């Protein structure tokens, strides 16, 4: 059974930092592309950042480039999202996702989703 368990969300002031973690199990980590999505109240879910475990290639949404960094620890089957210089508009529920291809993440249709972790940035 595929499981994705997020942690690390919380409340932070604007300009602060948080690191999200996503512990994965139930599949061969290196065969998947992992990613982070977010959904703010009243808005559609959007892709934030993706990483292909096999070669470490990454993608970032324009809104987070230069502020967020995605990484993975293949030995721990864990993907991280380091979020710096947080803004109130980054407030959302952040979801970890796993897909067999980058294409599936780009179209918002991964095979598996985590349960989400709340990130709130106060002004």
């Amino acid at each position: 059974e595929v499981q994705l368990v997020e942690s690390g969300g919380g409340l932070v002031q604007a300009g602060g930092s948080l690191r999200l973690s996503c512990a994965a199990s139930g599949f061969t980590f290196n065969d998947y592309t992992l990613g982070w999505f977010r959904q703010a109240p009243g808005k559609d879910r959007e892709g934030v950042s993706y990483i292909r475990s096999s070669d470490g290639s990454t993608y970032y949404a324009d809104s987070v480039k230069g502020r967020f960094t995605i990484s993975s620890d293949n030995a721990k089957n864990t993907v991280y999202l380091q979020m710096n210089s947080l803004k109130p508009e980054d407030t959302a529920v952040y979801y970890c996702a796993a897909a067999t291809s980058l294409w599936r993440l780009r179209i918002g249709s991964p095979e598996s989703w985590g349960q989400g972790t709340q990130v709130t940035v106060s002004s």
Side-chain angles (χ1 to χ4, degrees):
E1 178 188 2
V2 174
Q3 282 197 320
L4 301 171
V5 180
E6 301 102 331
S7 60
L11 173 64
V12 65
Q13 288 189 331
S17 298
L18 284 174
R19 188 175 83 153
L20 305 183
S21 299
C22 173
S25 61
F27 61 94
T28 303
F29 194 74
N30 281 0
D31 290 345
Y32 277 67
T33 299
L34 283 295
W36 291 93
F37 289 74
R38 67 185 181 186
Q39 187 166 24
K43 294 189 176 181
D44 291 336
R45 190 175 296 187
E46 63 171 347
V48 175
S49 184
Y50 317 135
I51 185 167
R52 189 156 52 196
S53 302
S54 59
D55 63 6
S57 57
T58 58
Y59 159 85
Y60 295 94
D62 287 343
S63 58
V64 306
K65 278 181 183 175
R67 300 189 299 122
F68 290 11
T69 303
I70 191 169
S71 62
S72 65
D73 185 333
N74 290 4
K76 295 182 178 180
N77 284 6
T78 300
V79 63
Y80 304 97
L81 187 67
Q82 178 67 43
M83 305 186 295
N84 299 329
S85 302
L86 282 161
K87 305 175 181 179
E89 51 264 43
D90 294 318
T91 295
V93 177
Y94 283 71
Y95 298 89
C96 181
T100 51
S101 69
L102 177 61
W103 172 78
R104 289 195 66 119
L105 284 182
R106 286 189 175 272
I107 65 170
S109 185
E111 278 86 346
S112 299
W113 293 97
Q115 82 286 354
T117 185
Q118 176 71 47
V119 171
T120 303
V121 185
S122 62
S123 57

